[in-house]
Amino acid sequence: MGPSTGFMKLLLMTFCSLFLIAGIAIIAVSIWSIADKIFLSHIIGSDLITVASYFLLIGGIVVVASAIVGLVATARQNRILLIVFFVLLLLIFLLLLIGAIMAAVFQGELEEQMQNSMAESLQQKYGARGRENVAATDAWNKVQKDLRCCAVRGSDWELYRGTAFFTEQQNYNRKKYVPETCCVYDERIGDYTDVAKCQNFGMGPPNNLESNIRNKFLYYNGCYSSAKTFLQDHSGILMAIGFVFSISMISGLVLTIFYFRRVVGDQDAERKHRYTEDDTAVEERENERL
């Protein structure tokens, strides 16, 4: 016998409602990231963040439009709108699949581009004057302190020598080769272990980059690798979200197919029943004449 049409309608309406909420959330996040550039845009590069935000906005609009079409189609049991809804769901699913494949294929190029953008942001904006540059400096300080890293790729402290932070220092005898947020922070004492030796260490980095002597007061990990490690540590959550969304998309496609077949079956049965009633009424009228 299978589930009734009413039950399948309820399931599909619930799916479309959740899909609509997800689309609105995506639009809200994208508008917020466009209007109020988050600190990551100062580090990764505003162009990359802007492009990603606009793609996210377009995706959210498509999801909301699809959900509305699905709600109307389900409520009215409209065959054409159900087909349109199915096609939109299929397109969204294929775009997500293509995006995932392209991200995997071009991972190396994307990583290289992101690292270059971070290095460019650091050298051009860190320590420089101006509102945007100050925001970038604060963003770099926050990331370096929170992720316990320095510069971009790791052991590339020389990037700071091309910044306004380094070139505008007046004390030539005691140069600060890196900012204090590149220094090891001790949570127990609530302060940096030794800022002076971290920023200026004659026997090794960040002054003498060729030396093999390790500066124990300085971070060696780059912020790109630290951020990547942070994401990998939380990849379980990201994978779970992606898996749930993929399953929900597939479920929506399957549910739409079954509901469409049920609607077509009910409408055909109703049409046959109506034709049968009409034929019966005609026969009764002809019998009455006779």
PDB file of all heavy atoms in Angstrom, residues 193-213:
ATOM      1  N   THR A 193      56.574  34.888  26.941  1.00  0.00           N
ATOM      2  CA  THR A 193      57.684  34.371  27.741  1.00  0.00           C
ATOM      3  C   THR A 193      58.886  35.322  27.753  1.00  0.00           C
ATOM      4  O   THR A 193      59.423  35.646  28.811  1.00  0.00           O
ATOM      5  CB  THR A 193      58.127  32.990  27.205  1.00  0.00           C
ATOM      6  OG1 THR A 193      58.356  33.099  25.799  1.00  0.00           O
ATOM      7  CG2 THR A 193      57.061  31.954  27.467  1.00  0.00           C
ATOM      8  N   ASP A 194      59.320  35.761  26.566  1.00  0.00           N
ATOM      9  CA  ASP A 194      60.454  36.704  26.486  1.00  0.00           C
ATOM     10  C   ASP A 194      60.364  37.442  25.150  1.00  0.00           C
ATOM     11  O   ASP A 194      60.893  36.990  24.122  1.00  0.00           O
ATOM     12  CB  ASP A 194      61.789  35.960  26.600  1.00  0.00           C
ATOM     13  CG  ASP A 194      62.950  36.919  26.876  1.00  0.00           C
ATOM     14  OD1 ASP A 194      62.902  38.055  26.363  1.00  0.00           O
ATOM     15  OD2 ASP A 194      63.894  36.530  27.595  1.00  0.00           O
ATOM     16  N   VAL A 195      59.712  38.591  25.158  1.00  0.00           N
ATOM     17  CA  VAL A 195      59.472  39.350  23.931  1.00  0.00           C
ATOM     18  C   VAL A 195      60.783  39.849  23.333  1.00  0.00           C
ATOM     19  O   VAL A 195      60.975  39.818  22.109  1.00  0.00           O
ATOM     20  CB  VAL A 195      58.519  40.531  24.201  1.00  0.00           C
ATOM     21  CG1 VAL A 195      58.364  41.394  22.953  1.00  0.00           C
ATOM     22  CG2 VAL A 195      57.163  40.026  24.663  1.00  0.00           C
ATOM     23  N   ALA A 196      61.708  40.295  24.169  1.00  0.00           N
ATOM     24  CA  ALA A 196      62.967  40.873  23.687  1.00  0.00           C
ATOM     25  C   ALA A 196      63.757  39.860  22.865  1.00  0.00           C
ATOM     26  O   ALA A 196      64.210  40.152  21.744  1.00  0.00           O
ATOM     27  CB  ALA A 196      63.800  41.372  24.856  1.00  0.00           C
ATOM     28  N   LYS A 197      63.948  38.640  23.395  1.00  0.00           N
ATOM     29  CA  LYS A 197      64.699  37.617  22.675  1.00  0.00           C
ATOM     30  C   LYS A 197      63.909  37.058  21.491  1.00  0.00           C
ATOM     31  O   LYS A 197      64.494  36.562  20.521  1.00  0.00           O
ATOM     32  CB  LYS A 197      65.084  36.484  23.623  1.00  0.00           C
ATOM     33  CG  LYS A 197      66.127  36.890  24.644  1.00  0.00           C
ATOM     34  CD  LYS A 197      66.517  35.709  25.536  1.00  0.00           C
ATOM     35  CE  LYS A 197      67.573  36.134  26.558  1.00  0.00           C
ATOM     36  NZ  LYS A 197      67.942  35.013  27.460  1.00  0.00           N
ATOM     37  N   CYS A 198      62.613  37.118  21.585  1.00  0.00           N
ATOM     38  CA  CYS A 198      61.772  36.661  20.477  1.00  0.00           C
ATOM     39  C   CYS A 198      61.930  37.584  19.273  1.00  0.00           C
ATOM     40  O   CYS A 198      62.094  37.115  18.142  1.00  0.00           O
ATOM     41  CB  CYS A 198      60.315  36.606  20.919  1.00  0.00           C
ATOM     42  SG  CYS A 198      59.117  36.503  19.562  1.00  0.00           S
ATOM     43  N   GLN A 199      61.896  38.883  19.516  1.00  0.00           N
ATOM     44  CA  GLN A 199      61.917  39.853  18.420  1.00  0.00           C
ATOM     45  C   GLN A 199      63.325  40.136  17.893  1.00  0.00           C
ATOM     46  O   GLN A 199      63.464  40.541  16.739  1.00  0.00           O
ATOM     47  CB  GLN A 199      61.266  41.163  18.873  1.00  0.00           C
ATOM     48  CG  GLN A 199      59.787  41.031  19.193  1.00  0.00           C
ATOM     49  CD  GLN A 199      59.173  42.344  19.647  1.00  0.00           C
ATOM     50  OE1 GLN A 199      59.752  43.066  20.470  1.00  0.00           O
ATOM     51  NE2 GLN A 199      58.007  42.657  19.117  1.00  0.00           N
ATOM     52  N   ASN A 200      64.327  39.913  18.711  1.00  0.00           N
ATOM     53  CA  ASN A 200      65.700  40.197  18.285  1.00  0.00           C
ATOM     54  C   ASN A 200      66.635  39.185  18.932  1.00  0.00           C
ATOM     55  O   ASN A 200      66.925  39.270  20.116  1.00  0.00           O
ATOM     56  CB  ASN A 200      66.090  41.623  18.683  1.00  0.00           C
ATOM     57  CG  ASN A 200      67.381  42.069  18.033  1.00  0.00           C
ATOM     58  OD1 ASN A 200      68.403  41.386  18.121  1.00  0.00           O
ATOM     59  ND2 ASN A 200      67.349  43.226  17.384  1.00  0.00           N
ATOM     60  N   PHE A 201      67.077  38.203  18.121  1.00  0.00           N
ATOM     61  CA  PHE A 201      67.904  37.107  18.640  1.00  0.00           C
ATOM     62  C   PHE A 201      69.090  36.940  17.692  1.00  0.00           C
ATOM     63  O   PHE A 201      68.963  36.390  16.600  1.00  0.00           O
ATOM     64  CB  PHE A 201      67.060  35.830  18.708  1.00  0.00           C
ATOM     65  CG  PHE A 201      67.750  34.672  19.367  1.00  0.00           C
ATOM     66  CD1 PHE A 201      68.164  34.740  20.694  1.00  0.00           C
ATOM     67  CD2 PHE A 201      67.983  33.500  18.668  1.00  0.00           C
ATOM     68  CE1 PHE A 201      68.786  33.663  21.306  1.00  0.00           C
ATOM     69  CE2 PHE A 201      68.605  32.420  19.269  1.00  0.00           C
ATOM     70  CZ  PHE A 201      69.007  32.502  20.597  1.00  0.00           C
ATOM     71  N   GLY A 202      70.257  37.420  18.102  1.00  0.00           N
ATOM     72  CA  GLY A 202      71.428  37.484  17.232  1.00  0.00           C
ATOM     73  C   GLY A 202      71.938  36.140  16.763  1.00  0.00           C
ATOM     74  O   GLY A 202      72.483  36.022  15.665  1.00  0.00           O
ATOM     75  N   MET A 203      71.745  35.086  17.570  1.00  0.00           N
ATOM     76  CA  MET A 203      72.310  33.781  17.233  1.00  0.00           C
ATOM     77  C   MET A 203      71.405  32.957  16.309  1.00  0.00           C
ATOM     78  O   MET A 203      71.799  31.893  15.829  1.00  0.00           O
ATOM     79  CB  MET A 203      72.597  32.996  18.514  1.00  0.00           C
ATOM     80  CG  MET A 203      73.692  33.615  19.379  1.00  0.00           C
ATOM     81  SD  MET A 203      74.102  32.598  20.808  1.00  0.00           S
ATOM     82  CE  MET A 203      72.583  32.722  21.763  1.00  0.00           C
ATOM     83  N   GLY A 204      70.190  33.417  16.104  1.00  0.00           N
ATOM     84  CA  GLY A 204      69.265  32.646  15.277  1.00  0.00           C
ATOM     85  C   GLY A 204      68.114  33.515  14.792  1.00  0.00           C
ATOM     86  O   GLY A 204      68.180  34.754  14.842  1.00  0.00           O
ATOM     87  N   PRO A 205      67.057  32.889  14.298  1.00  0.00           N
ATOM     88  CA  PRO A 205      65.908  33.664  13.815  1.00  0.00           C
ATOM     89  C   PRO A 205      65.220  34.409  14.969  1.00  0.00           C
ATOM     90  O   PRO A 205      65.337  34.004  16.129  1.00  0.00           O
ATOM     91  CB  PRO A 205      64.994  32.571  13.230  1.00  0.00           C
ATOM     92  CG  PRO A 205      65.389  31.317  13.927  1.00  0.00           C
ATOM     93  CD  PRO A 205      66.852  31.435  14.201  1.00  0.00           C
ATOM     94  N   PRO A 206      64.580  35.538  14.663  1.00  0.00           N
ATOM     95  CA  PRO A 206      64.269  36.023  13.317  1.00  0.00           C
ATOM     96  C   PRO A 206      65.374  36.893  12.686  1.00  0.00           C
ATOM     97  O   PRO A 206      65.230  37.286  11.546  1.00  0.00           O
ATOM     98  CB  PRO A 206      63.015  36.860  13.553  1.00  0.00           C
ATOM     99  CG  PRO A 206      63.195  37.404  14.930  1.00  0.00           C
ATOM    100  CD  PRO A 206      63.867  36.302  15.708  1.00  0.00           C
ATOM    101  N   ASN A 207      66.478  37.175  13.431  1.00  0.00           N
ATOM    102  CA  ASN A 207      67.574  37.974  12.860  1.00  0.00           C
ATOM    103  C   ASN A 207      68.368  37.151  11.841  1.00  0.00           C
ATOM    104  O   ASN A 207      68.412  37.475  10.665  1.00  0.00           O
ATOM    105  CB  ASN A 207      68.545  38.439  13.944  1.00  0.00           C
ATOM    106  CG  ASN A 207      67.862  39.129  15.099  1.00  0.00           C
ATOM    107  OD1 ASN A 207      66.772  38.766  15.494  1.00  0.00           O
ATOM    108  ND2 ASN A 207      68.513  40.136  15.655  1.00  0.00           N
ATOM    109  N   ASN A 208      68.996  36.100  12.329  1.00  0.00           N
ATOM    110  CA  ASN A 208      69.877  35.264  11.522  1.00  0.00           C
ATOM    111  C   ASN A 208      69.086  34.072  10.979  1.00  0.00           C
ATOM    112  O   ASN A 208      68.917  33.056  11.659  1.00  0.00           O
ATOM    113  CB  ASN A 208      71.061  34.792  12.377  1.00  0.00           C
ATOM    114  CG  ASN A 208      72.105  34.071  11.570  1.00  0.00           C
ATOM    115  OD1 ASN A 208      71.934  33.830  10.378  1.00  0.00           O
ATOM    116  ND2 ASN A 208      73.212  33.722  12.218  1.00  0.00           N
ATOM    117  N   LEU A 209      68.619  34.183   9.751  1.00  0.00           N
ATOM    118  CA  LEU A 209      67.756  33.153   9.184  1.00  0.00           C
ATOM    119  C   LEU A 209      68.522  31.907   8.755  1.00  0.00           C
ATOM    120  O   LEU A 209      67.924  30.843   8.558  1.00  0.00           O
ATOM    121  CB  LEU A 209      66.997  33.726   7.972  1.00  0.00           C
ATOM    122  CG  LEU A 209      66.097  34.938   8.261  1.00  0.00           C
ATOM    123  CD1 LEU A 209      65.474  35.452   6.974  1.00  0.00           C
ATOM    124  CD2 LEU A 209      65.008  34.592   9.267  1.00  0.00           C
ATOM    125  N   GLU A 210      69.830  32.027   8.609  1.00  0.00           N
ATOM    126  CA  GLU A 210      70.644  30.892   8.171  1.00  0.00           C
ATOM    127  C   GLU A 210      71.070  30.008   9.338  1.00  0.00           C
ATOM    128  O   GLU A 210      71.538  28.890   9.126  1.00  0.00           O
ATOM    129  CB  GLU A 210      71.896  31.397   7.429  1.00  0.00           C
ATOM    130  CG  GLU A 210      71.589  32.276   6.221  1.00  0.00           C
ATOM    131  CD  GLU A 210      70.797  31.552   5.156  1.00  0.00           C
ATOM    132  OE1 GLU A 210      71.009  30.337   5.012  1.00  0.00           O
ATOM    133  OE2 GLU A 210      69.982  32.197   4.469  1.00  0.00           O
ATOM    134  N   SER A 211      70.929  30.494  10.545  1.00  0.00           N
ATOM    135  CA  SER A 211      71.392  29.750  11.718  1.00  0.00           C
ATOM    136  C   SER A 211      70.462  28.578  12.030  1.00  0.00           C
ATOM    137  O   SER A 211      69.251  28.653  11.824  1.00  0.00           O
ATOM    138  CB  SER A 211      71.467  30.692  12.931  1.00  0.00           C
ATOM    139  OG  SER A 211      71.780  29.968  14.100  1.00  0.00           O
ATOM    140  N   ASN A 212      71.071  27.499  12.542  1.00  0.00           N
ATOM    141  CA  ASN A 212      70.293  26.330  12.958  1.00  0.00           C
ATOM    142  C   ASN A 212      69.929  26.375  14.441  1.00  0.00           C
ATOM    143  O   ASN A 212      69.285  25.453  14.940  1.00  0.00           O
ATOM    144  CB  ASN A 212      71.086  25.045  12.670  1.00  0.00           C
ATOM    145  CG  ASN A 212      71.246  24.811  11.175  1.00  0.00           C
ATOM    146  OD1 ASN A 212      70.347  25.108  10.396  1.00  0.00           O
ATOM    147  ND2 ASN A 212      72.404  24.281  10.786  1.00  0.00           N
ATOM    148  N   ILE A 213      70.373  27.427  15.121  1.00  0.00           N
ATOM    149  CA  ILE A 213      70.048  27.566  16.549  1.00  0.00           C
ATOM    150  C   ILE A 213      68.585  27.965  16.680  1.00  0.00           C
ATOM    151  O   ILE A 213      68.124  28.914  16.052  1.00  0.00           O
ATOM    152  CB  ILE A 213      70.951  28.617  17.214  1.00  0.00           C
ATOM    153  CG1 ILE A 213      72.415  28.183  17.104  1.00  0.00           C
ATOM    154  CG2 ILE A 213      70.555  28.835  18.663  1.00  0.00           C
ATOM    155  CD1 ILE A 213      73.402  29.205  17.659  1.00  0.00           C
TER     156      ILE A 213
END
